[in-house]
Amino acid sequence: MLQSTGRFLLCAFLATIVSPIVADYVIDVKFIKFENYNRLLANGRTCSNFGSQQCQTTLHVCARPDDTSTLCRYGETKTGVIGDNVIDLNKTFIGTARNPITYLIRQPFQKFVVSFTAKSNNELIAEYVYQSGYYLPQRSVEEARYKLITTRGSQNPTTQLTYQIRSYCSHGYYGPNCITRCDNPTSEQTRFQCDINGQKVCKPGFTGPFCNPDADPCRSAPCKNNATCNRMGSTFRCSCHPLYTGQFCIEGIDDCKRASSPCLNGGTCVDLINSYYCKCAYGYTGSKCENGIGECELTTAPCLNGGTCVEEINGYFCRCAYGYTGPKCETVISACLSAPCMNGGRCSNAGTSFECHCLPNFYGPRCQFEDKCRSVTCLNGGTCVITNFVAKCICPQSWTGQRCEIPINQCTPNPCQNNGYCHNLGLGGFVCDCVNGWSGKFCNDRNCPSRPCLNGGTCIRNANLIRCRCPFGFKGKYCEGFKCPEPSGLFPDPQSCRHFYQCDWSIAYRKDCPGNLHFNKVLKVCDWQYRADCNIRK
């Protein structure tokens, strides 16, 4: 196996398209970070295939125009080995190269392309491409802003390169395309200066396309702030307003010097136009720093937990809120020290308050109330009451005993009339077994001579009159008709699982389910028996 050096090669190609514009501009490339966490090559192998667990990365930056030439006509930079697979490049130097890398382009301006090629032992890692489009250079290095780019490798998307790029006009070149030249050497700076578009702007006392001395130096009003311009041959002198000074009367009079030490207690005087203000030293305030600030104001929240800061001579003290103590009210006072829990209750602290854990039969915030019923459990719905300081259970009907645990015989006395026999059902009450000719819960209804009531209706005889009490869902004198719950729809037959009723305008039509299907009252269809969930035994 080859001894691996895991050597990366990263190439940046800056390219442009030919333009007839003559200009002079700068391109800066600033590298931020390179990431190849898996140490992968484009062919799927890793740096470890060469006998080493680490990659040794180098950068090669090549700047060139976008033409058929591969020469680095704008310049090139080599850094040497700078790291492994994840490299922080956001530093002043990358190896021996300064970061950012700057290229001065002394030829027509072109839109450019930046391509980066990463290699290891001459094997491809990944390629990265940045296209500027028509992103024109900015006017100056002071205005130029970097554009942050993060791009993944086209052949190896597990890698990515982060960098910044900007372009701007060189010193002395102006305009949107850096095409305007404006020279302003030191010898000429007394006559003119260049504006942001590269145009000459004559200074006071100079005029014309070459900013020659003005015949009347006061014509351009060089004296400011209501000052008077006095011509003196080819030059002038300004007579300033009392509040201003300087050659052109644009500098305000230093009011801090006019007043003798206006700021007290070590304050610093800051000059304004026809005024001043005092920047006070720590511990003082006021227009002239004449007032001292108390310790409570100087210290940010010195008293904790709601304590109040009180000024003293050469200091302060904290008046603590209830439940706290200490120089800064930082300590919680135990609320259980005063033994607030009564009747044997156990006290525990809860912040600045307390909580009482009461013994049985006692309750309340301090266990001050007693309830004897707390230890008495009444069964079967019984209710505990206190009578003469004794807890007892008041039992519901059908139960008796000290804790309502004994059921009462429902057949004593016998509720069944007309010689009916009573069967005690305990909690379920009772049922009467009536003799022939009688029926009803208490055997007090005479039986009907026949069974005239249909669909499970109950026959009721009153003297010589017979009427039927119909079950839910049926109506009529003999319970012969189905009663529609709604004007229209499908509804189950209360007497049969295999039938259902179709209601139209409150008129019911009895329908049959085919085969062994049952009517599903939820889905409103004939369905399999296990899904229909119908338990009518008919």
Side-chain angles (χ1 to χ4, degrees), residues 16 19 21-27 63-65 73-75 102-110 137 168-173 177-178 181 183:
T16 53
S19 168
I21 302 171
V22 177
D24 194 315
Y25 63 99
V26 176
I27 297 176
R64 63 179 180 86
R73 289 165 50 190
Y74 292 167
T102 300
Y103 298 104
L104 179 62
I105 314 302
R106 295 189 178 277
Q107 68 175 53
F109 171 73
Q110 305 159 5
Y168 52 90
C169 297
S170 300
H171 180 73
Y173 287 85
N177 296 309
C178 308
R181 177 69 173 167
D183 289 322

PDB file of all heavy atoms in Angstrom, residues 16 19 21-27 63-65 73-75 102-110 137 168-173 177-178 181 183:
ATOM      1  N   THR A  16     -13.465  35.864 -16.337  1.00  0.00           N
ATOM      2  CA  THR A  16     -14.261  37.001 -16.796  1.00  0.00           C
ATOM      3  C   THR A  16     -14.576  36.887 -18.270  1.00  0.00           C
ATOM      4  O   THR A  16     -13.957  36.100 -18.984  1.00  0.00           O
ATOM      5  CB  THR A  16     -13.489  38.307 -16.550  1.00  0.00           C
ATOM      6  OG1 THR A  16     -12.210  38.178 -17.125  1.00  0.00           O
ATOM      7  CG2 THR A  16     -13.340  38.594 -15.083  1.00  0.00           C
ATOM      8  N   SER A  19     -14.791  42.497 -22.317  1.00  0.00           N
ATOM      9  CA  SER A  19     -15.603  43.701 -22.409  1.00  0.00           C
ATOM     10  C   SER A  19     -14.728  44.820 -22.948  1.00  0.00           C
ATOM     11  O   SER A  19     -13.535  44.873 -22.676  1.00  0.00           O
ATOM     12  CB  SER A  19     -16.140  44.080 -21.029  1.00  0.00           C
ATOM     13  OG  SER A  19     -16.689  45.368 -21.064  1.00  0.00           O
ATOM     14  N   ILE A  21     -14.604  47.777 -21.974  1.00  0.00           N
ATOM     15  CA  ILE A  21     -14.384  48.815 -20.972  1.00  0.00           C
ATOM     16  C   ILE A  21     -12.964  48.699 -20.429  1.00  0.00           C
ATOM     17  O   ILE A  21     -12.508  47.613 -20.074  1.00  0.00           O
ATOM     18  CB  ILE A  21     -15.405  48.668 -19.837  1.00  0.00           C
ATOM     19  CG1 ILE A  21     -16.824  48.755 -20.406  1.00  0.00           C
ATOM     20  CG2 ILE A  21     -15.185  49.710 -18.768  1.00  0.00           C
ATOM     21  CD1 ILE A  21     -17.884  48.405 -19.422  1.00  0.00           C
ATOM     22  N   VAL A  22     -12.256  49.796 -20.328  1.00  0.00           N
ATOM     23  CA  VAL A  22     -10.927  49.827 -19.706  1.00  0.00           C
ATOM     24  C   VAL A  22     -11.107  50.248 -18.254  1.00  0.00           C
ATOM     25  O   VAL A  22     -11.727  51.275 -17.991  1.00  0.00           O
ATOM     26  CB  VAL A  22      -9.995  50.796 -20.453  1.00  0.00           C
ATOM     27  CG1 VAL A  22      -8.652  50.866 -19.758  1.00  0.00           C
ATOM     28  CG2 VAL A  22      -9.835  50.350 -21.899  1.00  0.00           C
ATOM     29  N   ALA A  23     -10.590  49.448 -17.339  1.00  0.00           N
ATOM     30  CA  ALA A  23     -10.820  49.730 -15.931  1.00  0.00           C
ATOM     31  C   ALA A  23      -9.671  49.179 -15.105  1.00  0.00           C
ATOM     32  O   ALA A  23      -8.726  48.585 -15.628  1.00  0.00           O
ATOM     33  CB  ALA A  23     -12.143  49.136 -15.479  1.00  0.00           C
ATOM     34  N   ASP A  24      -9.769  49.371 -13.779  1.00  0.00           N
ATOM     35  CA  ASP A  24      -8.771  48.878 -12.843  1.00  0.00           C
ATOM     36  C   ASP A  24      -9.514  48.537 -11.560  1.00  0.00           C
ATOM     37  O   ASP A  24     -10.049  49.425 -10.907  1.00  0.00           O
ATOM     38  CB  ASP A  24      -7.716  49.949 -12.595  1.00  0.00           C
ATOM     39  CG  ASP A  24      -6.487  49.372 -11.914  1.00  0.00           C
ATOM     40  OD1 ASP A  24      -6.655  48.591 -10.963  1.00  0.00           O
ATOM     41  OD2 ASP A  24      -5.389  49.726 -12.322  1.00  0.00           O
ATOM     42  N   TYR A  25      -9.601  47.227 -11.237  1.00  0.00           N
ATOM     43  CA  TYR A  25     -10.382  46.818 -10.075  1.00  0.00           C
ATOM     44  C   TYR A  25      -9.674  45.697  -9.318  1.00  0.00           C
ATOM     45  O   TYR A  25      -8.664  45.161  -9.785  1.00  0.00           O
ATOM     46  CB  TYR A  25     -11.790  46.385 -10.481  1.00  0.00           C
ATOM     47  CG  TYR A  25     -11.848  45.182 -11.381  1.00  0.00           C
ATOM     48  CD1 TYR A  25     -12.123  43.927 -10.858  1.00  0.00           C
ATOM     49  CD2 TYR A  25     -11.640  45.300 -12.750  1.00  0.00           C
ATOM     50  CE1 TYR A  25     -12.179  42.820 -11.665  1.00  0.00           C
ATOM     51  CE2 TYR A  25     -11.703  44.198 -13.572  1.00  0.00           C
ATOM     52  CZ  TYR A  25     -11.971  42.952 -13.038  1.00  0.00           C
ATOM     53  OH  TYR A  25     -12.035  41.855 -13.847  1.00  0.00           O
ATOM     54  N   VAL A  26     -10.231  45.352  -8.142  1.00  0.00           N
ATOM     55  CA  VAL A  26      -9.622  44.395  -7.226  1.00  0.00           C
ATOM     56  C   VAL A  26     -10.621  43.281  -6.923  1.00  0.00           C
ATOM     57  O   VAL A  26     -11.819  43.543  -6.773  1.00  0.00           O
ATOM     58  CB  VAL A  26      -9.188  45.079  -5.913  1.00  0.00           C
ATOM     59  CG1 VAL A  26      -8.635  44.058  -4.923  1.00  0.00           C
ATOM     60  CG2 VAL A  26      -8.153  46.151  -6.204  1.00  0.00           C
ATOM     61  N   ILE A  27     -10.138  42.036  -6.828  1.00  0.00           N
ATOM     62  CA  ILE A  27     -10.955  40.893  -6.390  1.00  0.00           C
ATOM     63  C   ILE A  27     -10.297  40.310  -5.140  1.00  0.00           C
ATOM     64  O   ILE A  27      -9.109  40.006  -5.144  1.00  0.00           O
ATOM     65  CB  ILE A  27     -11.069  39.825  -7.480  1.00  0.00           C
ATOM     66  CG1 ILE A  27     -11.798  40.386  -8.705  1.00  0.00           C
ATOM     67  CG2 ILE A  27     -11.808  38.595  -6.944  1.00  0.00           C
ATOM     68  CD1 ILE A  27     -11.868  39.425  -9.860  1.00  0.00           C
ATOM     69  N   ALA A  63      -6.003  32.584 -10.411  1.00  0.00           N
ATOM     70  CA  ALA A  63      -6.883  33.628 -10.941  1.00  0.00           C
ATOM     71  C   ALA A  63      -6.581  33.809 -12.413  1.00  0.00           C
ATOM     72  O   ALA A  63      -5.438  34.046 -12.800  1.00  0.00           O
ATOM     73  CB  ALA A  63      -6.648  34.936 -10.189  1.00  0.00           C
ATOM     74  N   ARG A  64      -7.626  33.725 -13.240  1.00  0.00           N
ATOM     75  CA  ARG A  64      -7.417  33.848 -14.683  1.00  0.00           C
ATOM     76  C   ARG A  64      -8.706  34.317 -15.340  1.00  0.00           C
ATOM     77  O   ARG A  64      -9.795  34.155 -14.777  1.00  0.00           O
ATOM     78  CB  ARG A  64      -6.996  32.513 -15.285  1.00  0.00           C
ATOM     79  CG  ARG A  64      -8.042  31.405 -15.166  1.00  0.00           C
ATOM     80  CD  ARG A  64      -7.551  30.124 -15.818  1.00  0.00           C
ATOM     81  NE  ARG A  64      -8.538  29.058 -15.709  1.00  0.00           N
ATOM     82  CZ  ARG A  64      -9.531  28.860 -16.555  1.00  0.00           C
ATOM     83  NH1 ARG A  64      -9.686  29.699 -17.567  1.00  0.00           N
ATOM     84  NH2 ARG A  64     -10.372  27.866 -16.388  1.00  0.00           N
ATOM     85  N   PRO A  65      -8.625  34.902 -16.525  1.00  0.00           N
ATOM     86  CA  PRO A  65      -9.836  35.260 -17.271  1.00  0.00           C
ATOM     87  C   PRO A  65     -10.515  34.015 -17.824  1.00  0.00           C
ATOM     88  O   PRO A  65      -9.886  32.954 -17.938  1.00  0.00           O
ATOM     89  CB  PRO A  65      -9.308  36.161 -18.392  1.00  0.00           C
ATOM     90  CG  PRO A  65      -7.898  35.739 -18.576  1.00  0.00           C
ATOM     91  CD  PRO A  65      -7.391  35.329 -17.213  1.00  0.00           C
ATOM     92  N   ARG A  73      -3.167  34.084 -15.317  1.00  0.00           N
ATOM     93  CA  ARG A  73      -2.734  35.386 -15.797  1.00  0.00           C
ATOM     94  C   ARG A  73      -2.952  36.494 -14.771  1.00  0.00           C
ATOM     95  O   ARG A  73      -2.297  37.530 -14.825  1.00  0.00           O
ATOM     96  CB  ARG A  73      -3.470  35.740 -17.096  1.00  0.00           C
ATOM     97  CG  ARG A  73      -3.006  34.884 -18.284  1.00  0.00           C
ATOM     98  CD  ARG A  73      -3.950  34.951 -19.452  1.00  0.00           C
ATOM     99  NE  ARG A  73      -4.275  36.333 -19.795  1.00  0.00           N
ATOM    100  CZ  ARG A  73      -5.236  36.683 -20.661  1.00  0.00           C
ATOM    101  NH1 ARG A  73      -5.954  35.730 -21.241  1.00  0.00           N
ATOM    102  NH2 ARG A  73      -5.471  37.946 -20.925  1.00  0.00           N
ATOM    103  N   TYR A  74      -3.881  36.325 -13.854  1.00  0.00           N
ATOM    104  CA  TYR A  74      -4.117  37.341 -12.826  1.00  0.00           C
ATOM    105  C   TYR A  74      -3.269  37.099 -11.577  1.00  0.00           C
ATOM    106  O   TYR A  74      -3.184  37.964 -10.722  1.00  0.00           O
ATOM    107  CB  TYR A  74      -5.589  37.358 -12.416  1.00  0.00           C
ATOM    108  CG  TYR A  74      -6.529  37.845 -13.488  1.00  0.00           C
ATOM    109  CD1 TYR A  74      -7.907  37.654 -13.350  1.00  0.00           C
ATOM    110  CD2 TYR A  74      -6.058  38.490 -14.627  1.00  0.00           C
ATOM    111  CE1 TYR A  74      -8.778  38.093 -14.332  1.00  0.00           C
ATOM    112  CE2 TYR A  74      -6.931  38.922 -15.612  1.00  0.00           C
ATOM    113  CZ  TYR A  74      -8.285  38.722 -15.467  1.00  0.00           C
ATOM    114  OH  TYR A  74      -9.153  39.152 -16.421  1.00  0.00           O
ATOM    115  N   GLY A  75      -2.663  35.923 -11.466  1.00  0.00           N
ATOM    116  CA  GLY A  75      -1.843  35.601 -10.310  1.00  0.00           C
ATOM    117  C   GLY A  75      -2.243  34.283  -9.681  1.00  0.00           C
ATOM    118  O   GLY A  75      -3.310  33.740  -9.961  1.00  0.00           O
ATOM    119  N   THR A 102      -5.699  38.760  -2.420  1.00  0.00           N
ATOM    120  CA  THR A 102      -6.105  39.903  -3.234  1.00  0.00           C
ATOM    121  C   THR A 102      -5.436  39.841  -4.605  1.00  0.00           C
ATOM    122  O   THR A 102      -4.236  39.585  -4.709  1.00  0.00           O
ATOM    123  CB  THR A 102      -5.728  41.217  -2.522  1.00  0.00           C
ATOM    124  OG1 THR A 102      -6.407  41.267  -1.269  1.00  0.00           O
ATOM    125  CG2 THR A 102      -6.124  42.419  -3.356  1.00  0.00           C
ATOM    126  N   TYR A 103      -6.247  40.095  -5.653  1.00  0.00           N
ATOM    127  CA  TYR A 103      -5.748  40.154  -7.025  1.00  0.00           C
ATOM    128  C   TYR A 103      -6.132  41.498  -7.635  1.00  0.00           C
ATOM    129  O   TYR A 103      -7.314  41.866  -7.634  1.00  0.00           O
ATOM    130  CB  TYR A 103      -6.326  39.024  -7.867  1.00  0.00           C
ATOM    131  CG  TYR A 103      -5.940  37.656  -7.350  1.00  0.00           C
ATOM    132  CD1 TYR A 103      -6.861  36.875  -6.645  1.00  0.00           C
ATOM    133  CD2 TYR A 103      -4.659  37.166  -7.539  1.00  0.00           C
ATOM    134  CE1 TYR A 103      -6.511  35.632  -6.152  1.00  0.00           C
ATOM    135  CE2 TYR A 103      -4.304  35.931  -7.049  1.00  0.00           C
ATOM    136  CZ  TYR A 103      -5.219  35.166  -6.364  1.00  0.00           C
ATOM    137  OH  TYR A 103      -4.862  33.944  -5.879  1.00  0.00           O
ATOM    138  N   LEU A 104      -5.156  42.240  -8.133  1.00  0.00           N
ATOM    139  CA  LEU A 104      -5.366  43.526  -8.797  1.00  0.00           C
ATOM    140  C   LEU A 104      -5.477  43.269 -10.294  1.00  0.00           C
ATOM    141  O   LEU A 104      -4.530  42.787 -10.927  1.00  0.00           O
ATOM    142  CB  LEU A 104      -4.209  44.496  -8.499  1.00  0.00           C
ATOM    143  CG  LEU A 104      -4.311  45.860  -9.163  1.00  0.00           C
ATOM    144  CD1 LEU A 104      -5.551  46.600  -8.693  1.00  0.00           C
ATOM    145  CD2 LEU A 104      -3.056  46.680  -8.858  1.00  0.00           C
ATOM    146  N   ILE A 105      -6.640  43.571 -10.868  1.00  0.00           N
ATOM    147  CA  ILE A 105      -6.913  43.293 -12.281  1.00  0.00           C
ATOM    148  C   ILE A 105      -6.691  44.579 -13.074  1.00  0.00           C
ATOM    149  O   ILE A 105      -7.470  45.535 -12.970  1.00  0.00           O
ATOM    150  CB  ILE A 105      -8.349  42.772 -12.487  1.00  0.00           C
ATOM    151  CG1 ILE A 105      -8.661  41.690 -11.453  1.00  0.00           C
ATOM    152  CG2 ILE A 105      -8.535  42.254 -13.894  1.00  0.00           C
ATOM    153  CD1 ILE A 105      -7.718  40.514 -11.489  1.00  0.00           C
ATOM    154  N   ARG A 106      -5.629  44.631 -13.849  1.00  0.00           N
ATOM    155  CA  ARG A 106      -5.291  45.825 -14.633  1.00  0.00           C
ATOM    156  C   ARG A 106      -5.623  45.582 -16.100  1.00  0.00           C
ATOM    157  O   ARG A 106      -4.739  45.528 -16.959  1.00  0.00           O
ATOM    158  CB  ARG A 106      -3.811  46.179 -14.454  1.00  0.00           C
ATOM    159  CG  ARG A 106      -3.461  46.578 -13.026  1.00  0.00           C
ATOM    160  CD  ARG A 106      -2.062  47.139 -12.925  1.00  0.00           C
ATOM    161  NE  ARG A 106      -1.755  47.569 -11.579  1.00  0.00           N
ATOM    162  CZ  ARG A 106      -2.102  48.735 -11.080  1.00  0.00           C
ATOM    163  NH1 ARG A 106      -2.778  49.594 -11.811  1.00  0.00           N
ATOM    164  NH2 ARG A 106      -1.777  49.057  -9.829  1.00  0.00           N
ATOM    165  N   GLN A 107      -6.886  45.406 -16.374  1.00  0.00           N
ATOM    166  CA  GLN A 107      -7.357  45.228 -17.743  1.00  0.00           C
ATOM    167  C   GLN A 107      -8.871  45.412 -17.726  1.00  0.00           C
ATOM    168  O   GLN A 107      -9.458  45.634 -16.679  1.00  0.00           O
ATOM    169  CB  GLN A 107      -6.976  43.855 -18.277  1.00  0.00           C
ATOM    170  CG  GLN A 107      -7.687  42.685 -17.599  1.00  0.00           C
ATOM    171  CD  GLN A 107      -7.349  41.381 -18.273  1.00  0.00           C
ATOM    172  OE1 GLN A 107      -6.194  41.045 -18.438  1.00  0.00           O
ATOM    173  NE2 GLN A 107      -8.373  40.652 -18.696  1.00  0.00           N
ATOM    174  N   PRO A 108      -9.551  45.350 -18.883  1.00  0.00           N
ATOM    175  CA  PRO A 108     -11.008  45.589 -18.920  1.00  0.00           C
ATOM    176  C   PRO A 108     -11.759  44.717 -17.917  1.00  0.00           C
ATOM    177  O   PRO A 108     -11.459  43.541 -17.755  1.00  0.00           O
ATOM    178  CB  PRO A 108     -11.377  45.250 -20.364  1.00  0.00           C
ATOM    179  CG  PRO A 108     -10.128  45.510 -21.132  1.00  0.00           C
ATOM    180  CD  PRO A 108      -8.993  45.129 -20.213  1.00  0.00           C
ATOM    181  N   PHE A 109     -12.755  45.317 -17.307  1.00  0.00           N
ATOM    182  CA  PHE A 109     -13.567  44.606 -16.319  1.00  0.00           C
ATOM    183  C   PHE A 109     -14.418  43.531 -16.994  1.00  0.00           C
ATOM    184  O   PHE A 109     -14.968  43.753 -18.073  1.00  0.00           O
ATOM    185  CB  PHE A 109     -14.472  45.582 -15.576  1.00  0.00           C
ATOM    186  CG  PHE A 109     -15.493  44.894 -14.707  1.00  0.00           C
ATOM    187  CD1 PHE A 109     -15.105  44.294 -13.533  1.00  0.00           C
ATOM    188  CD2 PHE A 109     -16.824  44.819 -15.100  1.00  0.00           C
ATOM    189  CE1 PHE A 109     -16.024  43.655 -12.740  1.00  0.00           C
ATOM    190  CE2 PHE A 109     -17.742  44.182 -14.320  1.00  0.00           C
ATOM    191  CZ  PHE A 109     -17.346  43.602 -13.132  1.00  0.00           C
ATOM    192  N   GLN A 110     -14.533  42.386 -16.399  1.00  0.00           N
ATOM    193  CA  GLN A 110     -15.337  41.281 -16.915  1.00  0.00           C
ATOM    194  C   GLN A 110     -16.092  40.638 -15.762  1.00  0.00           C
ATOM    195  O   GLN A 110     -15.624  40.635 -14.634  1.00  0.00           O
ATOM    196  CB  GLN A 110     -14.421  40.223 -17.562  1.00  0.00           C
ATOM    197  CG  GLN A 110     -13.510  40.763 -18.648  1.00  0.00           C
ATOM    198  CD  GLN A 110     -12.321  39.848 -18.887  1.00  0.00           C
ATOM    199  OE1 GLN A 110     -12.236  38.787 -18.315  1.00  0.00           O
ATOM    200  NE2 GLN A 110     -11.420  40.277 -19.738  1.00  0.00           N
ATOM    201  N   PRO A 137     -18.251  45.550  -9.686  1.00  0.00           N
ATOM    202  CA  PRO A 137     -17.427  45.955  -8.540  1.00  0.00           C
ATOM    203  C   PRO A 137     -18.055  47.133  -7.802  1.00  0.00           C
ATOM    204  O   PRO A 137     -18.732  47.974  -8.395  1.00  0.00           O
ATOM    205  CB  PRO A 137     -16.092  46.351  -9.185  1.00  0.00           C
ATOM    206  CG  PRO A 137     -16.105  45.714 -10.531  1.00  0.00           C
ATOM    207  CD  PRO A 137     -17.525  45.644 -10.956  1.00  0.00           C
ATOM    208  N   TYR A 168     -14.050  45.486  -6.054  1.00  0.00           N
ATOM    209  CA  TYR A 168     -14.237  46.918  -5.892  1.00  0.00           C
ATOM    210  C   TYR A 168     -13.196  47.648  -6.734  1.00  0.00           C
ATOM    211  O   TYR A 168     -12.177  47.089  -7.171  1.00  0.00           O
ATOM    212  CB  TYR A 168     -14.103  47.316  -4.418  1.00  0.00           C
ATOM    213  CG  TYR A 168     -12.849  46.828  -3.752  1.00  0.00           C
ATOM    214  CD1 TYR A 168     -11.677  47.589  -3.750  1.00  0.00           C
ATOM    215  CD2 TYR A 168     -12.829  45.579  -3.127  1.00  0.00           C
ATOM    216  CE1 TYR A 168     -10.529  47.120  -3.144  1.00  0.00           C
ATOM    217  CE2 TYR A 168     -11.674  45.095  -2.527  1.00  0.00           C
ATOM    218  CZ  TYR A 168     -10.527  45.869  -2.535  1.00  0.00           C
ATOM    219  OH  TYR A 168      -9.392  45.410  -1.948  1.00  0.00           O
ATOM    220  N   CYS A 169     -13.451  48.951  -6.980  1.00  0.00           N
ATOM    221  CA  CYS A 169     -12.565  49.763  -7.800  1.00  0.00           C
ATOM    222  C   CYS A 169     -11.252  50.042  -7.068  1.00  0.00           C
ATOM    223  O   CYS A 169     -11.242  50.278  -5.850  1.00  0.00           O
ATOM    224  CB  CYS A 169     -13.232  51.089  -8.162  1.00  0.00           C
ATOM    225  SG  CYS A 169     -14.727  50.895  -9.162  1.00  0.00           S
ATOM    226  N   SER A 170     -10.157  50.043  -7.820  1.00  0.00           N
ATOM    227  CA  SER A 170      -8.859  50.410  -7.249  1.00  0.00           C
ATOM    228  C   SER A 170      -8.834  51.901  -6.939  1.00  0.00           C
ATOM    229  O   SER A 170      -9.661  52.691  -7.444  1.00  0.00           O
ATOM    230  CB  SER A 170      -7.738  50.082  -8.247  1.00  0.00           C
ATOM    231  OG  SER A 170      -7.728  48.702  -8.536  1.00  0.00           O
ATOM    232  N   HIS A 171      -7.909  52.281  -6.075  1.00  0.00           N
ATOM    233  CA  HIS A 171      -7.774  53.701  -5.724  1.00  0.00           C
ATOM    234  C   HIS A 171      -7.490  54.529  -6.981  1.00  0.00           C
ATOM    235  O   HIS A 171      -6.608  54.200  -7.778  1.00  0.00           O
ATOM    236  CB  HIS A 171      -6.648  53.893  -4.710  1.00  0.00           C
ATOM    237  CG  HIS A 171      -6.456  55.325  -4.312  1.00  0.00           C
ATOM    238  ND1 HIS A 171      -7.354  55.974  -3.494  1.00  0.00           N
ATOM    239  CD2 HIS A 171      -5.479  56.224  -4.618  1.00  0.00           C
ATOM    240  CE1 HIS A 171      -6.936  57.220  -3.310  1.00  0.00           C
ATOM    241  NE2 HIS A 171      -5.800  57.400  -3.990  1.00  0.00           N
ATOM    242  N   GLY A 172      -8.267  55.577  -7.162  1.00  0.00           N
ATOM    243  CA  GLY A 172      -8.105  56.442  -8.322  1.00  0.00           C
ATOM    244  C   GLY A 172      -9.048  56.117  -9.454  1.00  0.00           C
ATOM    245  O   GLY A 172      -9.087  56.847 -10.452  1.00  0.00           O
ATOM    246  N   TYR A 173      -9.850  55.015  -9.324  1.00  0.00           N
ATOM    247  CA  TYR A 173     -10.809  54.646 -10.350  1.00  0.00           C
ATOM    248  C   TYR A 173     -12.217  54.750  -9.760  1.00  0.00           C
ATOM    249  O   TYR A 173     -12.466  54.347  -8.624  1.00  0.00           O
ATOM    250  CB  TYR A 173     -10.546  53.230 -10.860  1.00  0.00           C
ATOM    251  CG  TYR A 173      -9.302  53.156 -11.727  1.00  0.00           C
ATOM    252  CD1 TYR A 173      -8.044  52.993 -11.154  1.00  0.00           C
ATOM    253  CD2 TYR A 173      -9.405  53.264 -13.105  1.00  0.00           C
ATOM    254  CE1 TYR A 173      -6.910  52.933 -11.936  1.00  0.00           C
ATOM    255  CE2 TYR A 173      -8.264  53.196 -13.899  1.00  0.00           C
ATOM    256  CZ  TYR A 173      -7.016  53.030 -13.317  1.00  0.00           C
ATOM    257  OH  TYR A 173      -5.905  52.978 -14.091  1.00  0.00           O
ATOM    258  N   ASN A 177     -18.430  50.901 -13.329  1.00  0.00           N
ATOM    259  CA  ASN A 177     -17.571  49.879 -13.915  1.00  0.00           C
ATOM    260  C   ASN A 177     -16.089  50.165 -13.683  1.00  0.00           C
ATOM    261  O   ASN A 177     -15.231  49.584 -14.336  1.00  0.00           O
ATOM    262  CB  ASN A 177     -17.828  49.765 -15.412  1.00  0.00           C
ATOM    263  CG  ASN A 177     -19.231  49.302 -15.717  1.00  0.00           C
ATOM    264  OD1 ASN A 177     -19.679  48.302 -15.180  1.00  0.00           O
ATOM    265  ND2 ASN A 177     -19.939  50.036 -16.553  1.00  0.00           N
ATOM    266  N   CYS A 178     -15.790  51.087 -12.755  1.00  0.00           N
ATOM    267  CA  CYS A 178     -14.405  51.478 -12.473  1.00  0.00           C
ATOM    268  C   CYS A 178     -13.718  52.006 -13.743  1.00  0.00           C
ATOM    269  O   CYS A 178     -12.531  51.741 -13.986  1.00  0.00           O
ATOM    270  CB  CYS A 178     -13.606  50.317 -11.892  1.00  0.00           C
ATOM    271  SG  CYS A 178     -14.373  49.519 -10.478  1.00  0.00           S
ATOM    272  N   ARG A 181     -11.130  57.572 -14.472  1.00  0.00           N
ATOM    273  CA  ARG A 181      -9.870  57.801 -13.773  1.00  0.00           C
ATOM    274  C   ARG A 181      -9.839  59.223 -13.247  1.00  0.00           C
ATOM    275  O   ARG A 181     -10.129  60.185 -13.971  1.00  0.00           O
ATOM    276  CB  ARG A 181      -8.691  57.591 -14.730  1.00  0.00           C
ATOM    277  CG  ARG A 181      -7.321  57.880 -14.137  1.00  0.00           C
ATOM    278  CD  ARG A 181      -6.942  56.872 -13.091  1.00  0.00           C
ATOM    279  NE  ARG A 181      -5.569  57.054 -12.638  1.00  0.00           N
ATOM    280  CZ  ARG A 181      -5.073  56.487 -11.570  1.00  0.00           C
ATOM    281  NH1 ARG A 181      -5.827  55.670 -10.845  1.00  0.00           N
ATOM    282  NH2 ARG A 181      -3.827  56.677 -11.218  1.00  0.00           N
ATOM    283  N   ASP A 183      -7.051  61.308 -10.968  1.00  0.00           N
ATOM    284  CA  ASP A 183      -5.815  61.399 -10.204  1.00  0.00           C
ATOM    285  C   ASP A 183      -5.867  62.606  -9.288  1.00  0.00           C
ATOM    286  O   ASP A 183      -6.224  63.703  -9.719  1.00  0.00           O
ATOM    287  CB  ASP A 183      -4.615  61.501 -11.147  1.00  0.00           C
ATOM    288  CG  ASP A 183      -4.357  60.178 -11.858  1.00  0.00           C
ATOM    289  OD1 ASP A 183      -4.525  59.137 -11.203  1.00  0.00           O
ATOM    290  OD2 ASP A 183      -4.020  60.200 -13.050  1.00  0.00           O
TER     291      ASP A 183
END
